Amino acid sequence: MSKIIRIGTRDSELALWQAKIVQSLLENLGHKTQLVPVKSTGDLVLDKPLYELGITGIFTRTLDIAMLNHDIDIAVHSLKDVPTVLPKGIVQAAVLKRGNVNDTLVFKNNEEFLSSKEAVIATGSLRRRAQWLNRFPTHTIVDLRGNVNSRLQKLENHEDWNGAIFAAAGIGRIGIRPEEAINLDWMIPAPAQGAIMITALAEDEFVLSACKELNHEETEICTTIEREFLNKLEGGCTAPIGALAYIKDEEINFKGVLLSVDGSKRIDVTRVKKLGEHHDMAEFCANFVIERGGKRLMDTIKNSNKEINVYSTKSFTEDQRLLFHEKVTVESSDFIKISLNRIHPRFLKNEIQNVIITSKNAVEALLTNFSPIELQFKNIYCVGRRTKRLVETKIGKVIHFENNAKKLANYLIDYMEGTEVTYFCSDLRLDDLPTILEKNNIKVTEVEAYQTKYDGIKVANTVESVMFYSPSTVESFVQKNNTEVIAFCIGETTANEAKKHFSDVRISKVPTVESVIELVNEHYI
């Protein structure tokens, strides 16, 4: 008696359609078959986007378990849903000839919204979301989950939605592609999109032999390259990665893309190789992306699922973000906003003998109002090494600098020429410097060069530590947050303000952002 091949499949209309195609092909070869439908986690949990579930192979895991338990002999999948590394004991038995690889936009009424600043597009795919926002950054993306039929119905039911994105192969295979639909040729599809794949147990020689006759070699070559590219980037359904390979005139053409989740950053790669010389193609293209900022993007995407434990009250550069220890999951934003003031020319009528500049913001304000040649300062005194560097680059030589205003004031008492000084400051400047100088009979002319505005937010409950860079950032933070945190501070002046609110206050060795980062890393080792 010949063996009955039990075909495992999800029970959605599309999955059943795919399984029945495989069933028909096997039966045409003389094999007996039986369909075994099962539900997956991806079908049961519909209230969250796939990328929020944090599971790779969410549509395949249930079938993998059924196969390892010998409840089914083969499983039929959309290859784009299958993890790049299969469970031990399970192998790829065949890939059918590929269908339409494109993504398709199903829209309402007409396509005029594509040229509008505002539109609402539905998709549950991080890759489609990122590519759409890269092309239409002002549009709004809403989550869309469920089987193909239910997603089309949701689009119909939501009056404010302009369109939704589907795999062209999916809506085409079950014959429900609406007339109001266009293929998105510019959108790079998911690796192996449009391909149907069969898995089986590595030990089942009978089934492997039967499925081998269904394999389409060209599709297998192209989808293997795409999935190797995905694997090298360490991506899954939680990363915005697209890849497409196709064969033309005995050459393999490949294009791939990695994007940030919001679509603001994009790294593309293209490659053409002769058929037969393509075996390093995926690795070359993945390394190309990684070397051009791909690793940084992937690390950011991976960390986005971790709970934030450190918050910075000043936005980081990408280079600064890379300095953090792997145990640190950091978020940052500017807790103060700077507004440069108009400085009246009367303050610069004559050469000023003594000038105090305590921040780079004051330097920017001066250079916004005057040309460098108009800034005739005989003696310039600064707070901070970086302020000194900027002054000497843009204005002139700095006579002396200190790491905080109080130290600078004490220096000026002993060494400053004359008894008058002009202080270019913020509207929220501390009293230490002018108070100390005036007590020692030094007249201080204050010029408000810029305004500091509080712009803090309430941080997540998971935040244990906060990085502060000025007394103003501390004040801005406590306006919106009343939780006890470890305060990592850039200098003594900032720390003094932090001590009014927090019991654990730590000061960096030198007053730089990088030194504060080092302080954080030491704590989380």
Side-chain angles (χ1 to χ4, degrees):
M1 184 178 177
S2 62
K3 177 179 178 179
I4 296 176
I5 300 176
R6 295 165 298 170
I7 305 171
T9 176
R10 293 164 57 200
D11 64 353
S12 69
E13 183 179 1
L14 177 58
L16 286 168
W17 183 93
Q18 294 178 162
K20 287 175 182 177
I21 289 293
V22 173
Q23 181 180 41
S24 175
L25 291 170
L26 287 172
E27 290 183 349
N28 287 341
L29 293 171
H31 298 287
K32 294 182 180 179
T33 66
Q34 176 190 352
L35 286 183
V36 183
V38 297
K39 278 195 179 292
S40 72
T41 304
D43 294 316
L44 296 171
V45 183
L46 300 177
D47 60 344
K48 290 184 178 180
L50 289 181
Y51 53 87
E52 285 189 8
L53 295 178
I55 307 170
T56 57
I58 193 167
F59 290 126
T60 62
R61 184 170 295 181
T62 307
L63 291 173
D64 291 338
I65 293 169
M67 185 178 295
L68 292 169
N69 287 337
H70 298 281
D71 295 327
I72 60 175
D73 299 302
I74 66 173
V76 180
H77 303 290
S78 293
L79 185 48
K80 71 180 180 68
D81 295 333
V82 181
T84 55
V85 178
L86 297 176
K88 186 177 181 180
I90 296 177
V91 296
Q92 178 174 301
V95 182
L96 305 190
K97 186 176 181 179
R98 197 174 205 170
N100 192 331
V101 301
N102 288 306
D103 290 298
T104 293
L105 176 69
V106 177
F107 55 89
K108 293 180 176 179
N109 304 323
N110 56 58
E111 305 161 56
E112 289 180 3
F113 68 89
L114 291 174
S115 59
S116 299
K117 184 177 180 180
E118 295 182 0
V120 179
I121 305 299
T123 177
S125 161
L126 202 60
R127 173 189 58 84
R128 291 168 181 158
R129 170 191 293 259
Q131 289 192 72
W132 190 274
L133 289 174
N134 180 260
R135 193 177 181 93
F136 303 103
T138 61
H139 286 185
T140 300
I141 305 294
V142 294
D143 184 53
L144 180 60
R145 291 287 314 285
N147 60 44
V148 175
N149 289 295
S150 67
R151 281 183 281 153
L152 283 169
Q153 188 59 51
K154 287 177 183 177
L155 174 61
E156 182 67 27
N157 294 342
H158 284 78
E159 293 183 2
D160 59 327
W161 292 6
N162 296 102
I165 307 173
F166 297 80
I171 56 176
R173 281 169 176 159
I174 58 177
I176 58 171
R177 180 185 174 106
E179 288 186 13
E180 297 81 11
I182 52 172
N183 282 345
L184 302 174
D185 298 328
W186 53 266
M187 185 174 282
I188 299 178
Q193 184 160 302
I196 298 171
M197 177 246 220
I198 304 168
T199 58
L201 292 172
E203 64 189 28
D204 195 334
E205 294 181 6
F206 173 79
V207 165
L208 291 175
S209 178
C211 293
K212 186 177 181 180
E213 297 186 60
L214 307 184
N215 192 60
H216 186 254
E217 186 179 6
E218 183 174 320
T219 299
E220 181 187 17
I221 291 170
C222 292
T223 55
T224 297
I225 293 170
E226 294 164 19
R227 285 165 56 75
E228 284 180 3
F229 174 76
L230 176 66
N231 178 262
K232 295 292 182 184
L233 289 179
E234 299 179 348
C237 67
T238 53
I241 297 172
L244 179 64
Y246 63 92
I247 298 174
K248 183 179 180 181
D249 299 330
E250 297 299 305
E251 289 183 329
I252 297 181
N253 297 261
F254 177 85
K255 57 183 177 181
V257 66
L258 169 67
L259 303 99
S260 59
V261 173
D262 63 1
S264 62
K265 297 181 178 65
R266 176 179 180 130
I267 306 170
D268 287 276
V269 60
T270 59
R271 183 85 163 157
V272 179
K273 295 280 283 186
K274 287 184 179 179
L275 188 61
E277 299 178 4
H278 62 274
H279 301 294
D280 65 344
M281 196 172 199
E283 184 173 7
F284 175 90
C285 292
N287 288 337
F288 181 93
V289 171
I290 289 167
E291 290 166 5
R292 281 154 182 79
K295 184 181 186 304
R296 188 180 303 169
L297 268 184
M298 288 302 301
D299 288 344
T300 301
I301 292 166
K302 288 174 187 174
N303 290 334
S304 66
N305 292 324
K306 295 181 181 178
E307 290 186 338
I308 299 167
N309 55 6
V310 178
Y311 207 99
S312 169
T313 55
K314 176 183 175 64
S315 294
F316 292 123
T317 65
E318 287 298 320
D319 288 340
Q320 287 169 341
R321 190 177 289 276
L322 287 173
L323 297 174
F324 282 96
H325 189 279
E326 61 182 9
K327 292 182 181 178
V328 176
T329 304
V330 65
E331 188 59 69
S332 65
S333 62
D334 292 316
F335 270 54
I336 57 172
K337 299 292 185 186
I338 301 301
S339 176
L340 304 181
N341 289 346
R342 181 179 179 276
I343 301 174
H344 200 281
R346 71 173 181 273
F347 291 110
L348 274 76
K349 273 186 178 180
N350 303 307
E351 181 186 57
I352 302 177
Q353 183 179 20
N354 298 308
V355 166
I356 298 174
I357 301 174
T358 58
S359 75
K360 292 194 291 183
N361 296 320
V363 179
E364 291 179 17
L366 285 166
L367 293 171
T368 300
N369 283 272
F370 306 100
S371 65
I373 201 168
E374 293 177 285
L375 301 175
Q376 297 298 310
F377 304 147
K378 183 178 180 183
N379 302 316
I380 305 175
Y381 302 94
C382 287
V383 171
R385 199 177 293 272
R386 291 188 175 178
T387 303
K388 173 182 180 289
R389 191 179 305 139
L390 184 61
V391 169
E392 292 191 328
T393 302
K394 302 288 187 179
I395 300 175
K397 183 174 175 57
V398 173
I399 298 299
H400 187 78
F401 85 98
E402 292 286 353
N403 287 332
N404 64 59
K406 191 172 182 180
K407 285 184 177 179
L408 180 61
N410 289 326
Y411 172 87
L412 293 175
I413 292 168
D414 294 328
Y415 299 105
M416 191 186 79
E417 296 179 12
T419 57
E420 293 186 8
V421 64
T422 299
Y423 178 21
F424 293 98
C425 59
S426 163
D427 61 323
L428 294 181
R429 61 107 179 108
L430 293 178
D431 294 332
D432 288 351
L433 190 146
T435 299
I436 292 171
L437 293 179
E438 287 173 353
K439 281 183 178 179
N440 287 273
N441 301 313
I442 296 175
K443 180 183 176 183
V444 179
T445 300
E446 293 187 32
V447 180
E448 190 179 293
Y450 63 97
Q451 294 183 346
T452 303
K453 299 177 181 178
Y454 296 144
D455 195 30
I457 62 170
K458 184 167 179 58
V459 302
N461 294 331
T462 57
V463 171
E464 307 164 338
S465 312
V466 179
M467 303 166 72
F468 297 109
Y469 309 92
S470 67
S472 299
T473 58
V474 177
E475 292 165 356
S476 180
F477 179 85
V478 297
Q479 277 191 351
K480 296 290 180 72
N481 302 273
N482 58 6
T483 54
E484 180 65 36
V485 296
I486 301 172
F488 293 106
C489 299
I490 199 167
E492 290 181 11
T493 307
T494 304
N496 289 337
E497 181 63 33
K499 287 174 183 176
K500 299 176 185 177
H501 310 281
F502 311 111
S503 58
D504 191 346
V505 177
R506 307 182 192 185
I507 308 173
S508 62
K509 295 175 184 176
V510 293
T512 64
V513 174
E514 288 74 15
S515 186
V516 183
I517 292 173
E518 183 182 2
L519 199 64
V520 172
N521 284 340
E522 287 173 358
H523 174 75
Y524 283 94
I525 289 176

